[in-house]
């Protein structure tokens, strides 16, 4: 004689889980798709935190597997870009660098930008690359792009060590703004999470984004001039060009990261936009991802 089975069902609109009746037998979880717009289920993501960790660690190991230099590529990529920028922008074009040695100025900007670009690239391809995982088991799908961004954080931490070495080499003191580095970096992480999750969801339905994303990131970098030059105060938010540059959140975030890391004056007047833009981008990206995630297993 078979034992009775109690089913745990989730409400299609609210996501609330109905507990089984007292005295019932083994539980069977019936998981159905949620309807409508859904916000991030932080409690569920926290329950799957170990999965996020192992997915991030998997991405780090896969990225540097069979490479001779291994994790050193996390430093070499912004370092080589810094050398190119130093020759073309620092020596030949003579762009302003806020009174800092140009290699240090460029590396600080490239460090934050390289993290954002690496995180967005990894997150945008992460869902399509996890096809077998998605079609076989249930877990919060947001764990996949979040883990890809987590892998980029590891690269950032490794590359950050060279920035401190360069500061010692050039005799640049960080100042009290150094304590604000985690806060500014958190805003850049939110920005990368928002753009990455949005592109990850779009990439499932439209594989064109796999080819368009690297090109868009190149354009985005050159549309973020604070990566390679110090903008005059008259162009920050002033005139048509200044207004267009101010609409790009990474323009202010890259400048803010360099400022707090190298001991400059913190841009308090732009703090509101620098905080609001990443939060809004994160919300839009996650909301769209959650809206379409129930169709991933069918179309991937």
């Amino acid at each position: 004689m078979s034992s009775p089975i109690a089913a745990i069902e989730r409400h299609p609109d609210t996501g609330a889980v109905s507990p089984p009746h007292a005295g019932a037998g083994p539980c069977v979880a019936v998981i159905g798709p949620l309807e409508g717009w859904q916000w991030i289920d932080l409690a569920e993501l926290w329950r799957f935190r170990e999965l996020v960790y192992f997915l991030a660690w998997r991405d780090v190991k896969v990225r540097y597997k069979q490479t001779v230099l291994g994790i050193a590529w996390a430093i070499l990529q912004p370092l080589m870009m810094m050398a190119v920028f130093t020759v073309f922008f620092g020596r030949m074009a003579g762009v302003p660098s806020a009174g800092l040695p140009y290699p240090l100025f460029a590396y600080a900007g490239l460090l934050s930008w390289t993290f954002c670009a690496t995180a967005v690239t990894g997150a945008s391809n992460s869902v399509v690359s996890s096809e077998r995982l998605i079609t076989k088991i249930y877990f919060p799908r947001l764990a996949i792009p979040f883990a890809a961004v987590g892998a980029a954080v590891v690269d950032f931490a490794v590359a950050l060590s060279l920035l401190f070495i360069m500061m010692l080499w050039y005799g640049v003191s960080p100042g009290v703004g150094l304590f604000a580095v985690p806060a500014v970096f958190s805003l850049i992480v939110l920005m990368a999470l928002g753009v990455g999750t949005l592109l990850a969801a779009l990439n499932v339905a439209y594989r064109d984004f796999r080819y368009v994303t690297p090109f868009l990131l190149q354009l985005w970098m050159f549309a973020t001039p604070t990566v390679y030059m110090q903008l005059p105060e008259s162009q920050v938010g002033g005139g048509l060009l200044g207004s267009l540059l101010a609409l790009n959140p990474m323009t202010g975030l890259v400048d803010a990261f360099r400022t707090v890391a190298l001991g400059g004056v913190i841009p308090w007047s732009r703090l509101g936009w620098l905080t609001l833009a990443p939060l809004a981008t994160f919300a839009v990206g996650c909301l769209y991802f959650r809206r379409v995630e129930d169709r991933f297993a069918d179309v991937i």
Side-chain angles (χ1 to χ4, degrees):
M1 181 178 178
S2 59
S3 59
I5 297 177
I8 300 177
E9 297 185 353
R10 186 168 57 181
H11 193 280
D13 295 327
T14 64
V17 177
S18 302
H21 298 292
C27 298
V28 175
V30 180
I31 302 173
L34 298 175
E35 298 177 358
W37 296 94
Q38 303 291 332
W39 185 235
I40 305 173
D41 192 340
L42 294 176
E44 187 180 45
L45 272 176
W46 177 250
R47 287 198 301 274
F48 285 85
R49 60 187 181 279
E50 291 187 1
L51 175 64
V52 177
Y53 168 77
F54 282 111
L55 288 176
W57 185 240
R58 178 204 63 176
D59 290 345
V60 172
K61 291 203 299 184
V62 169
R63 183 179 303 166
Y64 299 112
K65 187 178 182 181
Q66 299 295 323
T67 60
V68 176
L69 299 178
I71 196 69
W73 280 111
I75 296 177
L76 288 175
Q77 292 180 67
L79 186 64
M80 289 188 290
M81 287 293 291
M82 178 206 73
V84 173
F85 281 12
T86 299
V87 172
F88 288 97
F89 292 115
R91 298 290 177 82
M92 298 178 68
V95 298
S97 59
L100 294 167
Y102 190 82
L104 178 62
F105 175 88
Y107 187 82
L110 284 166
L111 185 60
S112 52
W113 172 257
T114 302
F115 161 75
C116 183
T118 303
V120 170
T121 303
S124 65
N125 295 319
S126 59
V127 176
V128 175
S129 303
S130 303
E131 173 189 355
R132 294 184 179 179
L133 200 60
I134 288 177
T135 55
K136 285 182 171 58
I137 60 173
Y138 171 77
F139 61 94
R141 304 312 191 206
L142 273 175
I144 297 176
F146 280 20
V149 175
V153 173
V154 176
D155 287 0
F156 173 83
V158 174
L160 184 63
S161 61
L162 181 61
L163 179 66
F164 294 131
I165 294 173
M166 292 179 69
M167 290 170 67
L168 287 174
W169 177 265
Y170 287 108
V172 175
S173 302
V176 295
L178 188 64
F179 293 104
V181 167
V184 176
F185 180 65
S186 298
L187 294 175
I188 300 175
V189 171
L190 281 179
M191 191 72 200
L193 282 171
V195 178
T197 51
L198 179 64
L199 290 175
L202 290 171
N203 196 21
V204 174
Y206 311 100
R207 303 299 167 88
D208 309 75
F209 281 93
R210 174 183 297 180
Y211 307 101
V212 171
T213 299
F215 175 68
L216 291 179
L217 285 172
Q218 289 291 325
L219 286 181
W220 195 8
M221 186 188 74
F222 286 106
T224 309
T226 48
V227 174
Y228 47 85
M229 67 179 290
Q230 178 68 28
L231 286 176
E233 280 299 323
S234 58
Q235 292 188 8
V236 180
L240 178 60
L241 178 61
S243 300
L244 291 175
L245 292 176
L247 288 176
N248 175 10
M250 285 305 294
T251 299
L253 289 173
V254 170
D255 187 47
F257 175 81
R258 180 193 291 119
T259 298
V260 297
L262 301 184
V265 179
I266 299 176
W268 296 107
S269 60
R270 301 195 296 272
L271 190 62
W273 171 246
L274 294 183
T275 304
L276 181 62
L279 288 174
T281 306
F282 177 74
V284 170
C286 291
L287 282 172
Y288 180 74
F289 188 97
R290 293 274 288 162
R291 183 71 177 85
V292 299
E293 65 176 356
D294 60 313
R295 298 196 293 267
F296 286 170
D298 298 325
V299 300
I300 198 168

